[in-house]
């Protein structure tokens, strides 16, 4: 007999674990989360928060979304990546990033009701954790996962209470390993991985200093500094990252992973900060230093039996593109509703297999992209002539050459411009953030051919209601002028039916089949004189079915199925599809 029982035990209170707990509690599922430490993130590692993640927070509630914006640095200040020799030195170039370019901003605004922002992990984790605990999650801090055994009916996990030193057993129906890049849970279930750990060495130097005079006129989150040694290890180049504008900073500087790990003491941290800022007298209020390694590894399978892994436990990669915490929270959004429906007896266990099928390809995609982004700094160094020599004098001469009035210098200037512009794949890759289309048994084909991406799929989000894709966002309006997104009509742990005039039979079918299957199905007619009106026609243009057709949306906003028009037997069709998708 275990000491404690719960339905879902979650190991880790990082973005993945806290998001899972918050979602499960919102869906009314009993859960417990543990963390071996006494508190949450103590450094602001993750910060770039993309629209898809904000949609998860919005699904948790407008209060959760609003609180994120309250503490975040807004998109306008995230601005432009600066490439320079130091903050006081010469600026080599800049690129509009994170939706700063007006064309990119338009794509952001058309894609989602939410905004990208910069929310340090020290704010995101408490927000998710608070949401979880206030909605029912039991949290045990200073509690370390040791081991587990699973059987046909559940999982028995042994944890150590680090305050008393006593071991405690917890019996749960499912176990979630959200225990980060050194996941013991993933190791214990023997998840298969591809790639390798420890590709390059990095150090973080967190400090406070008012740097307004160097940066406030060119607001950005990331200031990339090219100095001798800045292409060694690390994330591609020396980085001065804004944590809070403009008085809290995180420097990321590389070291050679094949050499001894550097001892980053206060003297060294201060020197690196002074070099990158370019002020030999800079006084910093050093908050912390740490070293870490860049990894290039992803799980090809994310679960075994009743144990599911997510977040950095399954995708281990450098922070390039800012995808780690975002993807971790999105893993949670994919798994939580499936666990909830299975635990409530509304879906068969086979539904849980779709977590692997849907999220393992995303793990591979983001690990590959993040590592590729590091290599894409190379052309900038090359164009500046910084790879031709290790002699600082010669390197400076090569960089200076670009100001000459010669054909070679003109070619060099063009090469620098092109190399910086190509970093759009790291700093404005909206498609990487938004374009996930799932293929699994939890998606029902509608017989159509998948629409190919018309533009670069890494850079541009392309809306479609093709089954497996995220339902497109469009604003719809009620009689009182209230404006909601089509995403707001979906989610919240429920399947949703979206239809139009002539689709009443789908609404009736949703009622009948929902009652039969014991499912809470939402149904909305969007059209003139209906509760929701599509005044702009944006939804009609996006939905890819006729007025009387249906788009059936899963709780995670992904399209489960669609039909061009009303079926001869709408209830029969809806029953068939839901039973298939839910493995009933
Ligand atoms: P995470 O590591 O955050 O949490 C693991 C949890 O498990 C912790 O609570 C830990 O205490 C707990 N744990 C571990 N072992 C345990 C055990 N045995 N028993 C109990 N508890 C245990 N991402 C992003 O989206 N945007 C960004 O801009 C950035 N930027 C960024 C910059 C830098 C410098 C770094 C180093 C990283 C980023 N990231 C990022 C990545 C991001 O920080 C990372 O992907 C997430 O923290 C991963 O979240 P997880 O919840 O998966 O693991």
């Amino acid at each position: 007999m275990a000491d404690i029982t719960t339905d879902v035990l979650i190991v880790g209170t990082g973005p993945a674990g806290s998001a899972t707990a918050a979602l499960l509690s919102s869906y009314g599922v009993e859960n417990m989360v543990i963390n071996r430490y006494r508190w949450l993130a103590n450094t602001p590692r993750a910060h770039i928060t993309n629209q898809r993640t904000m949609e998860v927070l919005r699904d948790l509630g407008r209060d959760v979304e609003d609180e994120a914006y309250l503490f975040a640095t807004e998109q306008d200040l995230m601005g432009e990546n600066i490439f320079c020799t130091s903050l006081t030195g010469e600026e080599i170039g800049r690129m509009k990033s994170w939706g700063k370019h007006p064309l990119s901003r338009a794509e952001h605004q058309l894609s989602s009701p939410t905004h990208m922002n910069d929310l340090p992990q020290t704010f995101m984790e408490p927000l998710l954790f608070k949401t979880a605990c206030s909605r029912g999650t039991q949290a045990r801090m200073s509690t370390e996962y040791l081991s587990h055994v699973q059987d046909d009916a559940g999982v028995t996990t042994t944890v150590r209470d680090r305050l008393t030193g006593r071991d405690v057993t917890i019996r749960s129906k499912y176990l979630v390993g959200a225990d980060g890049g050194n996941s013991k849970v993933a190791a214990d279930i023997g998840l298969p991985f591809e790639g390798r750990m420890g590709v390059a060495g990095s150090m973080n130097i967190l400090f406070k200093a008012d740097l307004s005079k160097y940066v406030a006129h060119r607001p950005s989150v990331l200031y990339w500094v090219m100095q001798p040694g800045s292409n060694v290890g690390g994330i591609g180049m020396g980085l001065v990252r804004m944590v809070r504008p403009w008085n809290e900073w995180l420097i990321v500087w590389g070291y050679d992973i094949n050499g001894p790990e550097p001892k980053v003491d206060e003297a060294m941290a201060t020197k690196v900060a002074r070099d990158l800022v370019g002020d030999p007298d800079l006084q910093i209020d050093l908050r912390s230093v740490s070293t870490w390694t860049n990894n290039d590894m992803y799980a090809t399978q994310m679960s075994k039996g009743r144990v599911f892994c997510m977040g950095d436990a399954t995708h281990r990669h450098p922070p390039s593109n800012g995808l780690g915490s975002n993807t971790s929270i999105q893993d949670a959004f994919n798994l939580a509703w499936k666990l909830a429906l299975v635990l409530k007896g509304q879906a068969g266990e086979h539904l849980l297999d779709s977590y692997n099928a849907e999220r393992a390809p995303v793990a591979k995609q983001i690990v590959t992209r993040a590592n590729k982004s590091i290599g894409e700094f190379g052309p900038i160094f090359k164009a500046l002539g910084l790879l031709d020599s290790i002699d600082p004098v010669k390197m400076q001469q090569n960089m200076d050459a670009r100001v000459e009035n010669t054909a070679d210098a003109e070619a060099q200037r063009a090469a620098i411009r092109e190399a910086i512009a190509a970093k759009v794949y790291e700093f404005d890759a909206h498609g990487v953030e938004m374009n996930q289309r799932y293929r699994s048994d939890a998606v029902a084909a509608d017989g159509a051919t998948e629409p190919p991406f018309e533009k670069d799929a890494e850079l541009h989000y392309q809306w479609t209601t093709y089954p497996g894709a995220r339902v497109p966002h469009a604003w719809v309006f009620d009689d009182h002028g209230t404006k909601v997104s089509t995403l707001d009509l979906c989610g919240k742990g429920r399947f949703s039916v979206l239809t139009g005039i002539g689709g009443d039979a789908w609404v009736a079918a949703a009622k009948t089949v929902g009652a039969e299957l014991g499912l809470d199905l939402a149904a909305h007619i969007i059209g003139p004189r209906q509760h929701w009106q599509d005044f702009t026609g944006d939804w009609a243009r996006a939905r890819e079915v006729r007025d009387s057709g249906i788009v059936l949306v899963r709780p995670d906003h992904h399209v489960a199925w669609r039909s061009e028009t009303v079926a001869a037997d709408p209830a029969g069709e809806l029953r068939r599809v839901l039973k298939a998708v839910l493995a009933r």
Side-chain angles (χ1 to χ4, degrees), residues 73-74 76-80 82 86-88 91 94 100 209-223 240-242 244-249 277:
T73 297
E74 65 190 62
D76 277 334
L77 287 184
M78 295 169 71
E80 298 174 348
I82 305 289
S86 71
L87 293 194
T88 57
E91 184 171 326
R94 53 176 94 175
K100 175 76 173 173
D210 183 358
L211 301 181
S212 311
K213 63 183 170 188
Y214 307 128
V215 295
H217 60 288
R218 45 181 179 173
S220 177
V221 180
L222 306 176
Y223 297 83
V240 183
R241 171 193 140 194
M242 178 275 289
R244 306 307 277 169
W246 307 106
N247 56 18
E248 190 173 341
W249 300 88
V277 172

Side-chain angles (χ1 to χ4, degrees), residues 11-18 34-37 39-41 44-50 53 118 121 125 143-146 178-184 204 235 241 250 252 292 310-313 315 317-328:
V11 182
T13 58
S18 291
I34 64 166
N35 178 2
R36 73 168 141 205
Y37 300 114
W39 187 233
L40 309 170
R45 288 179 297 152
H47 56 121
I48 305 292
T49 304
N50 64 40
T53 297
D118 187 287
Q121 199 160 335
E125 275 189 30
T143 301
E144 182 170 4
Y145 163 86
L146 296 179
D179 50 339
N182 295 313
S183 173
K184 179 156 168 44
N204 281 355
I235 53 174
R241 171 193 140 194
L250 182 86
V252 185
W292 48 281
M310 57 167 60
D312 277 15
H315 26 85
H317 55 92
S320 323
N321 291 70
L323 291 169
S325 161
N326 285 300
T327 308
S328 304

Side-chain angles (χ1 to χ4, degrees), residues 160-174:
R160 178 158 302 154
D161 181 331
R162 296 179 69 195
L163 300 181
T164 61
R166 260 187 239 126
D167 289 356
V168 176
T169 51
I170 304 173
R171 178 74 177 165
S172 59
K173 297 200 177 93
Y174 296 99

Side-chain angles (χ1 to χ4, degrees), residues 298-311:
Y298 55 87
T300 51
Q301 193 188 320
M302 312 218 338
S303 67
K304 188 169 182 200
R306 296 177 166 272
V307 183
F308 297 82
C309 285
M310 57 167 60

Side-chain angles (χ1 to χ4, degrees), residues 322-369:
L323 291 169
S325 161
N326 285 300
T327 308
S328 304
I329 291 169
Q330 292 154 26
D331 287 344
F333 201 40
N334 184 286
L335 181 64
W337 69 270
K338 296 174 182 172
L339 285 173
L341 292 197
V342 171
L343 282 164
K344 289 177 187 175
Q346 294 168 344
E349 285 208 319
H350 179 61
L351 173 65
L352 298 172
D353 294 341
S354 65
Y355 174 66
N356 264 319
E358 295 178 353
R359 294 307 291 178
V362 177
K364 177 177 180 179
Q365 179 206 3
I366 61 144
V367 171
T368 308
R369 178 15 81 198

